[in-house]
Amino acid sequence: FFFLPSRHEMNEFVDKTWSASVVQFLTVAPPIVSMVSFTLSPMATVNKIKAAQSTGSFAALPFFSQMLNCLTWAVYGVLSQSLPIFVPNFVGFTAGCYFVYVYIRNCERNESNLKITSLLLFVWILGASIVLDNARALDLVGWTGSLSSCGLSLSSLVVVPQVIATKSTKALPFGVALGVFSACSLWTLFGYIVTNDIYVWLPSLVGVLSTSFQFMLFALYGFDGTDKKPIN
């Protein structure tokens, strides 16, 4: 990433170009939006699962991805001593554990692969933060968080073939997409303008692009698969 400005250069850019109020807004807004997104956005889907006592066509990956993604970034927030990163992700991790619990309890399918992967990643993150020195742990957790964030952003796209085949967006939660889009847009600005941290802004940008594609599917097929017909 030699073409990116250094953190010192970016801080000078921020001081000269962006007002203190803009920087302060970008320091406060992403955590608030993230906490709302992590806790409220998936709730409608979780309530549907509880009411039906079945996961139906909802995929497990988004729920597991949120839990692991938030755990990773909570640890990254501790290592980097960044409260704006730690607080919302700790809240998101707690909410994610609940969502995964509800999903597993009502799931007819065997999600053993996701369970094992989650356990391994959990040990990987906590082990690295304890065993490695701070600088190495920060890089390792940062890269893991970036990949995990990309996985969270792209996880909902696993149902895209089903959406196209059935011409229905029932398996694509709009609330989750809207929440991810809002949070990722702010984190992209936070990561680039405030901290110049590629671990933050790059996966957030992926999230913006992923949810933008999902909005295109909602525009094509409507919110329940009957509002609109696909464009030929």
Side-chain angles (χ1 to χ4, degrees):
F1 306 108
F2 61 88
F3 55 87
L4 293 173
S6 66
R7 185 178 296 272
H8 175 71
E9 292 171 338
M10 195 60 192
N11 286 338
E12 290 184 348
F13 174 77
V14 171
D15 292 338
K16 294 178 180 179
T17 307
W18 303 97
S19 66
S21 59
V22 172
V23 175
Q24 184 176 11
F25 170 78
L26 291 176
T27 303
V28 174
I32 294 176
V33 173
S34 292
M35 283 189 286
V36 173
S37 173
F38 290 145
T39 55
L40 297 184
S41 294
M43 191 61 70
T45 303
V46 171
N47 288 337
K48 289 181 181 179
I49 292 174
K50 290 176 64 178
Q53 296 185 340
S54 171
T55 56
S57 60
F58 292 111
L61 188 56
F63 300 105
F64 278 87
S65 294
Q66 173 178 326
M67 180 183 68
L68 295 173
N69 179 69
C70 289
L71 168 65
T72 304
W73 285 112
V75 173
Y76 187 83
V78 172
L79 294 173
S80 60
Q81 299 180 350
S82 174
L83 281 177
I85 294 178
F86 169 75
V87 173
N89 283 287
F90 179 77
V91 173
F93 169 68
T94 304
C97 289
Y98 170 70
F99 299 150
V100 168
Y101 166 75
V102 171
Y103 191 96
I104 292 176
R105 185 170 182 175
N106 295 278
C107 185
E108 302 84 2
R109 299 180 295 273
N110 186 355
E111 302 290 353
S112 58
N113 290 336
L114 279 175
K115 294 176 185 177
I116 295 174
T117 302
S118 300
L119 178 61
L120 292 176
L121 187 56
F122 186 88
V123 174
W124 169 265
I125 292 300
L126 293 184
S129 62
I130 295 173
V131 175
L132 299 178
D133 61 81
N134 186 268
R136 291 183 178 180
L138 197 63
D139 284 333
L140 187 147
V141 175
W143 276 114
T144 304
S146 295
L147 295 175
S148 179
S149 294
C150 289
L152 175 61
S153 299
L154 298 174
S155 61
S156 58
L157 298 183
V158 298
V159 299
V160 167
Q162 177 186 341
V163 170
I164 296 175
T166 62
K167 299 180 177 61
S168 171
T169 57
K170 287 183 178 180
L172 200 60
F174 179 79
V176 175
L178 182 61
V180 172
F181 177 82
S182 302
C184 286
S185 297
L186 289 170
W187 282 115
T188 300
L189 296 174
F190 172 86
Y192 188 74
I193 293 175
V194 178
T195 62
N196 186 30
D197 191 341
I198 193 172
Y199 295 144
V200 176
W201 68 257
L202 182 59
S204 298
L205 181 60
V206 172
V208 172
L209 297 176
S210 171
T211 49
S212 296
F213 178 72
Q214 293 176 53
F215 292 149
M216 183 185 72
L217 294 177
F218 282 108
L220 288 173
Y221 303 121
F223 290 91
D224 59 1
T226 60
D227 294 338
K228 294 184 180 181
K229 294 181 180 180
I231 299 174
N232 293 326

